[in-house]
Amino acid sequence: MIAILLIAIQTSFASVSHASGTVYSYKWGTGADVTKNSLIKKNIPKSNITNKVLKAAKTGTPIVKFGNGNGPRTLIVAGVHGSELSSQVSAMKLINYLNKKKVIKGTIYVIPFIAPKATSANIRFYNGNNLNKIANKKGSITNKVVKFAKSKNIQAVGDFHCTMPGGLPGKNIILGTKNPTLKSAKMAIAISKLTKHPYKNEYQAGKSYPGALEDVLNLKKIPSVTCEVKTPHGKIAKGSITSSYKQMIAFLKYNKNI
Ligand SMILES: [Zn+2]
């Protein structure tokens, strides 16, 4: 009877509790089995919290929460482009690291697979849409993330991507914007210093990349950066998971979460 009640309570909140990380599944119609992507399956850490995230991804967008809300409130996003695998694997490594960590300052949210359907199929677009061009469109998945960030009073967002060799930017790089949220540019410089990856700051958010998640967040005054690592899309180049992980740790250090 108690077991049934516990299951009922867990189901009604759509979350699974853990000593440090809590896994939620946001029912945005995005759910899929991401382990159908063999490179994801092969490279993510095997653990209890990984299993919880994989389960949550089957029914929606998984979001993992760490910490108690006092102090800096940050959000890490990966998988805006489903075939950019290194950053998504890195986000799973980060979740496993944070889950074992005794002390976390403030609150960290991690979205390792924003659109599990696209990740599962190893494709760049979600339902034919480039999610990094429609964060300003009501109802889009990236717009839902913007709303999520607003509702949780998030103070900084890191959006982690992969860039093809020979593509644009085609190298490990940290991207920020000066206006209207100068902290975005400052954060890009700080992460650049910590990772030794170069940075590039645009002057005005929404000009070169309207609808990009980073730009829309910066326009909403939530300081955000885009962090890119070099690897072919749909594949994982040697060292690219480590590079993305370094960027995530630098983001959390700059924001004083760890
Ligand atoms: Zn991307």
Side-chain angles (χ1 to χ4, degrees):
M1 186 61 188
I2 289 165
I4 292 166
L5 275 173
L6 280 174
I7 289 163
I9 288 164
Q10 285 200 340
T11 312
S12 67
F13 285 100
S15 74
V16 183
S17 291
H18 187 271
S20 18
T22 310
V23 183
Y24 300 88
S25 179
Y26 279 70
K27 314 293 183 198
W28 292 340
T30 45
D33 180 0
V34 295
T35 62
K36 285 196 175 145
N37 186 321
S38 59
L39 283 172
I40 291 284
K41 189 180 180 184
K42 196 175 126 189
N43 287 284
I44 56 175
K46 283 154 191 63
S47 71
N48 198 19
I49 189 134
T50 290
N51 291 340
K52 286 175 183 173
V53 172
L54 295 175
K55 193 180 166 200
K58 281 184 184 166
T59 55
T61 295
I63 302 185
V64 189
K65 181 187 178 188
F66 296 96
N68 62 10
N70 300 318
R73 304 172 64 81
T74 58
L75 169 64
I76 282 179
V77 180
V80 165
H81 296 126
S83 59
E84 297 181 7
L85 306 179
S86 306
S87 32
Q88 298 179 74
V89 170
S90 171
M92 287 305 298
K93 279 184 69 178
L94 186 78
I95 285 166
N96 278 269
Y97 164 72
L98 293 174
N99 199 49
K100 282 185 198 148
K101 208 163 163 28
K102 295 239 161 48
V103 182
I104 289 159
K105 288 174 230 154
T107 306
I108 306 165
Y109 291 92
V110 185
I111 304 179
F113 316 110
I114 189 175
K117 270 183 192 168
T119 304
S120 172
N122 206 6
I123 51 173
R124 181 168 176 79
F125 290 172
Y126 170 74
N127 287 349
N129 290 312
N130 184 342
L131 290 179
N132 215 24
K133 287 195 171 166
I134 53 172
N136 51 358
K137 299 255 159 67
K138 210 179 156 208
S140 75
I141 304 305
T142 29
N143 190 257
K144 288 181 194 294
V145 170
V146 173
K147 284 194 171 155
F148 172 85
K150 268 270 168 210
S151 73
K152 301 291 181 193
N153 294 315
I154 297 295
Q155 294 155 336
V157 179
D159 185 19
F160 293 81
H161 287 251
C162 304
T163 177
M164 284 191 292
L168 255 180
K171 60 180 177 184
N172 295 344
I173 192 164
I174 319 297
L175 306 168
T177 319
K178 289 176 191 163
N179 286 298
T181 314
L182 187 62
K183 194 188 158 190
S184 162
K186 287 184 177 170
M187 187 153 60
I189 293 169
I191 295 170
S192 168
K193 272 190 186 148
L194 289 166
T195 55
K196 310 272 194 291
H197 298 165
Y199 72 89
K200 188 184 172 202
N201 283 323
E202 295 280 327
Y203 182 72
Q204 178 65 43
K207 277 271 188 283
S208 303
Y209 306 100
L213 181 58
E214 177 211 325
D215 289 60
V216 175
L217 286 162
N218 280 324
L219 288 171
K220 299 252 182 217
K221 311 285 172 67
I222 301 175
S224 303
V225 289
T226 304
C227 300
E228 302 261 9
V229 295
K230 188 168 104 174
T231 182
H233 292 160
K235 293 181 179 159
I236 296 176
K238 199 166 181 242
S240 59
I241 297 170
T242 309
S243 294
S244 186
Y245 190 73
K246 248 195 227 173
Q247 294 175 342
M248 289 177 183
I249 293 290
F251 169 84
L252 293 178
K253 278 192 175 155
Y254 171 74
N255 286 294
K256 299 190 165 58
N257 287 119
I258 58 170

